[in-house]
Amino acid sequence: MSKIFPKSANALPLQIVIFLAIAGGVATAAVTYYSTPKYLRVGYQPVQPVPFEHSLHAGQLGIDCRYCHASVEKSATSSVPAAQTCMNCHSIVKPQSPLLEPVRRSYETGEPVPWVKVHVAPDYVYFNHSVHVNRGVSCVECHGKVNEMTAVWHDKSHSMGFCLDCHRDPANYLREPKDVFNLDSPTLAAQGRLEKAHQNIRDWKIMPPQSCSGCHR
Amino acid sequence: MRQAYYSLVFLVLLTVSIMGLRGLRSTSAPIEVFPDMDRQAKYKPQAASKFFADGRADRPIPAGTVPHGRTAEADPAFLRADDFRYAGKTSDGSWARGFPSEVNRELLQRGRDRFQIYCLPCHGALGDGNGITRAYNMVVPSYHDDRLRAMAEGEIFNTITHGKNTMFSYADKLSPDERWAVVAYVRALQRAAHGSLADVPPDKRGELK
């Protein structure tokens, strides 16, 4: 009886098993790397209708975040400013700039400037800006160094694990309330004042929820 | 078998070259894996709407709207009937002097806090008109001339509320009570700019340099 398979075929089943294991490992690694917000969201830098530079306004000119995002201390939402806020200065500063045309049109007609939202929480997440900034969580913790960005990009992942890192142990992320809007300020922990952070947590009864309904409802 | 490994390496290289690495800048919106839960049929603040003609989910308050379900006794802010507190005027329509609430350390600190956010870019930290916008040809008066030192508190309140000359209204950023706190801090700046050694308590004079 003639041989159908050469002798080397005896090793083939094992070789196939090894190859499939390696291929499976590579596929798992690829999904882990690519399918989380660290890849899907981070780096999103949409083209805005007006090339507003945070690095100029918040960085170089030192305008406080709250000058434009005025509701951040008082409400769940950090408001995008109305065109009048821009016109407070730009009625005099660069009043003819073609780049500011959408702002002027919005101010005259009342039609909103179609800004593109960079950080969009899923609708099942109920995030409240005011409770965070009023207890020492700085803008920079979730938005990165916006004062150094020309066009804003999504700097942190905003995944649930990202939130829980801080909710489980907030001490390392807290600042003095006066430093919350100073994006270059170090955290209390980075200043070597971790004890002060723990004291604020006790004094203000900071109890970040870890239950589902704390953020989802 | 060797070909199988070569194709695997090729596939990995192809994936990385198309998908890139984490954190790379991209102008295209993030992919949502389960968009049916991420984007529910509800409006969030400042969102867009296809239903309303102006495309906005936030609805402007119709003209002539009156709040209901409250009383002026239970809530002093109801209808803003107090002209002093909400318009800076006395009953005869002239600018009111003084403050509708007690001026204390807390009010001044609140005023300084708000001033440094909303007023400082133009008026400067000292109220001398040397804010950052001076470099961009904005003309801003100093608080420390006689006209503004003599101005009634109610008129300063009114200026914050409605704006004046090139200054726009700040009523959308400062609540009436915050405006009074800023007025108190403006008064403190004016007082400080014209202070003398006699204003410093004797036991603190040694700290001056």
Side-chain angles (χ1 to χ4, degrees):
Chain A
M1 199 173 162
S2 65
K3 292 182 210 158
I4 299 172
F5 295 105
K7 193 156 194 183
S8 63
N10 287 345
L12 206 55
L14 185 64
Q15 283 175 337
I16 289 173
V17 167
I18 291 172
F19 176 80
L20 286 180
I22 291 173
V26 169
T28 309
V31 169
T32 314
Y33 187 81
Y34 282 121
S35 74
T36 76
K38 280 178 186 160
Y39 171 76
L40 293 173
R41 287 189 199 145
V42 174
Y44 175 44
Q45 187 181 33
V47 179
Q48 300 289 356
V50 179
F52 177 84
E53 284 187 21
H54 277 84
S55 56
L56 172 66
H57 292 82
Q60 210 176 317
L61 302 179
I63 297 171
D64 195 286
C65 308
R66 292 164 287 181
Y67 187 92
C68 302
H69 303 291
S71 75
V72 69
E73 289 174 300
K74 300 169 190 171
S75 86
T77 315
S78 173
S79 52
V80 176
Q84 189 198 312
T85 303
C86 312
M87 294 302 278
N88 282 342
C89 294
H90 285 292
S91 60
I92 297 182
V93 180
K94 299 197 173 182
Q96 306 297 330
S97 168
L99 296 177
L100 285 162
E101 177 56 29
V103 171
R104 287 193 297 272
R105 199 181 328 120
S106 167
Y107 182 65
E108 280 154 23
T109 63
E111 293 288 317
V113 178
W115 298 109
V116 184
K117 235 169 128 63
V118 180
H119 301 85
V120 190
D123 286 354
Y124 48 79
V125 174
Y126 290 76
F127 179 82
N128 188 319
H129 277 86
S130 65
V131 294
H132 289 85
V133 298
N134 288 327
R135 286 293 177 264
V137 180
S138 170
C139 320
V140 74
E141 292 298 334
C142 303
H143 294 291
K145 288 215 164 189
V146 175
N147 59 334
E148 293 173 4
M149 298 181 191
T150 45
V152 170
W153 65 80
H154 207 305
D155 193 56
K156 305 286 172 86
S157 74
H158 291 199
S159 64
M160 196 165 87
F162 173 84
C163 299
L164 282 171
D165 280 346
C166 185
H167 273 229
R168 286 183 177 133
D169 183 16
N172 284 317
Y173 301 89
L174 294 182
R175 281 172 174 72
E176 289 282 26
K178 69 174 174 59
D179 288 336
V180 165
F181 297 94
N182 174 5
L183 304 192
D184 293 320
S185 63
T187 57
L188 282 165
Q191 294 172 29
R193 298 168 65 206
L194 198 57
E195 189 40 51
K196 173 67 179 158
H198 283 294
Q199 192 192 325
N200 286 353
I201 290 171
R202 278 194 304 276
D203 290 353
W204 299 335
K205 299 186 171 60
I206 298 176
M207 292 182 284
Q210 292 172 42
S211 64
C212 308
S213 60
C215 310
H216 305 296
R217 53 193 87 134
Chain B
M1 206 63 225
R2 190 164 287 172
Q3 283 87 341
Y5 282 107
Y6 284 149
S7 11
L8 183 66
V9 169
F10 174 73
L11 208 65
V12 168
L13 288 176
L14 191 71
T15 309
V16 172
S17 61
I18 292 173
M19 305 275 280
L21 299 170
R22 277 181 178 177
L24 286 181
R25 304 274 176 276
S26 161
T27 54
S28 52
I31 298 158
E32 286 173 337
V33 184
F34 301 108
D36 55 336
M37 262 180 87
D38 287 341
R39 303 296 149 228
Q40 300 163 9
K42 68 176 182 183
Y43 288 142
K44 299 211 280 192
Q46 297 191 310
S49 162
K50 287 181 182 141
F51 181 77
F52 295 106
D54 64 0
R56 276 185 268 189
D58 294 353
R59 304 315 303 153
I61 299 168
T65 304
V66 177
H68 76 107
R70 292 188 281 170
T71 62
E73 288 79 41
D75 180 4
F78 179 63
L79 296 185
R80 303 198 161 184
D82 184 345
D83 273 352
F84 187 3
R85 190 167 167 192
Y86 296 106
K89 288 180 178 172
T90 58
S91 50
D92 63 7
S94 61
W95 297 124
R97 294 197 172 269
F99 291 85
S101 60
E102 189 199 343
V103 178
N104 50 26
R105 192 181 175 81
E106 197 185 328
L107 186 81
L108 283 169
Q109 278 174 341
R110 182 78 177 144
R112 179 174 66 183
D113 182 53
R114 297 294 102 179
F115 180 92
Q116 290 181 343
I117 300 168
Y118 298 112
C119 316
L120 178 145
C122 294
H123 288 285
L126 302 175
D128 52 9
N130 279 325
I132 188 74
T133 55
R134 174 59 59 93
Y136 294 87
N137 301 324
M138 296 259 281
V139 179
V140 185
S142 165
Y143 294 154
H144 307 310
D145 64 11
D146 290 340
R147 182 181 69 89
L148 291 178
R149 290 179 72 205
M151 186 179 269
E153 281 82 1
E155 193 173 356
I156 302 176
F157 177 89
N158 185 67
T159 304
I160 301 173
T161 310
H162 297 296
K164 196 173 196 176
N165 299 331
T166 55
M167 173 176 156
F168 287 20
S169 164
Y170 277 76
D172 60 330
K173 299 187 168 32
L174 295 165
S175 72
D177 289 342
E178 286 175 333
R179 279 172 245 163
W180 282 114
V182 169
V183 175
Y185 186 66
V186 168
R187 281 284 180 250
L189 287 175
Q190 290 174 329
R191 186 78 182 80
H194 290 81
S196 66
L197 189 60
D199 294 320
V200 183
D203 59 320
K204 301 275 186 194
R205 284 179 196 174
E207 297 170 18
L208 295 176
K209 284 182 183 160

